[in-house]
Amino acid sequence: MPKDRRTAWLLVPILVASLAACSITPPNPDGWRDPGVHAVDGYWVTSERACVEGVDRGCKWMFDTAIATLLAREPDAQVVRAVTVSYPSDRGPDKPKLSSAGLMTPRLVILDLADGSRRTIGLLCGALDHVDGEVIEGCRPASLDQFRVGNGRLADP
């Protein structure tokens, strides 16, 4: 085999290793490695998606609570769109993935405003109360500091 071909075959493993390294999402400054992780209004989020009432359980609770929370802080805000987002959970192989446990599930909602800005509202959703033996479900505002930009250290177990 000519020397040029042997050299080419020696480069194949190096090329494969380089491509594999490029496919791993590098961590952001707080260590989150989830695909698509990005910051919106001071929170790390991943996928943004429209919430379809009747399909996605709790849409009305989330959006109503998020909008009421925003309007309490910014009474003149005009919401033109709301989306639910996933939050990051992967900080690499040396740290366990975050998971939610308990009766209340952390949720993030992004509200797009008429002025082009975006607000991220943290919520805890689930069973809020029991009345006459019936569970009342909904959402309440929550800071969810572990997902705030700059607070990656809080995500450590």
Side-chain angles (χ1 to χ4, degrees):
M1 184 181 299
K3 185 177 180 183
D4 291 340
R5 281 193 165 175
R6 280 182 278 159
T7 304
W9 280 108
L10 291 174
L11 293 176
V12 169
I14 294 170
L15 179 62
V16 169
S18 297
L19 289 174
C22 291
S23 67
I24 297 170
T25 304
N28 64 28
D30 285 336
W32 299 112
R33 297 173 173 266
D34 303 73
V37 68
H38 60 286
V40 175
D41 189 33
Y43 281 90
W44 291 116
V45 299
T46 58
S47 60
E48 300 181 26
R49 62 198 171 281
C51 193
V52 180
E53 188 63 45
V55 175
D56 296 322
R57 188 170 184 267
C59 286
K60 183 164 177 37
W61 307 332
M62 288 187 294
F63 292 162
D64 288 351
T65 305
I67 291 169
T69 301
L70 174 68
L71 292 177
R73 292 190 309 227
E74 300 178 43
D76 296 330
Q78 295 179 347
V79 177
V80 296
R81 183 173 157 245
V83 295
T84 63
V85 294
S86 297
Y87 46 80
S89 63
D90 184 3
R91 296 195 63 227
D94 57 333
K95 299 195 186 321
K97 287 190 174 198
L98 287 183
S99 61
S100 63
L103 298 176
M104 302 295 280
T105 302
R107 302 298 299 257
L108 291 169
V109 172
I110 295 176
L111 302 174
D112 291 329
L113 306 185
D115 67 5
S117 63
R118 306 182 90 195
R119 302 291 185 275
T120 303
I121 308 292
L123 305 169
L124 287 174
C125 300
L128 293 177
D129 204 354
H130 292 82
V131 176
D132 296 329
E134 201 168 314
V135 176
I136 306 298
E137 293 185 284
C139 297
R140 63 180 171 86
S143 64
L144 302 183
D145 288 333
Q146 67 270 36
F147 305 115
R148 287 188 187 269
V149 172
N151 282 352
R153 65 187 180 285
L154 295 176
D156 290 333

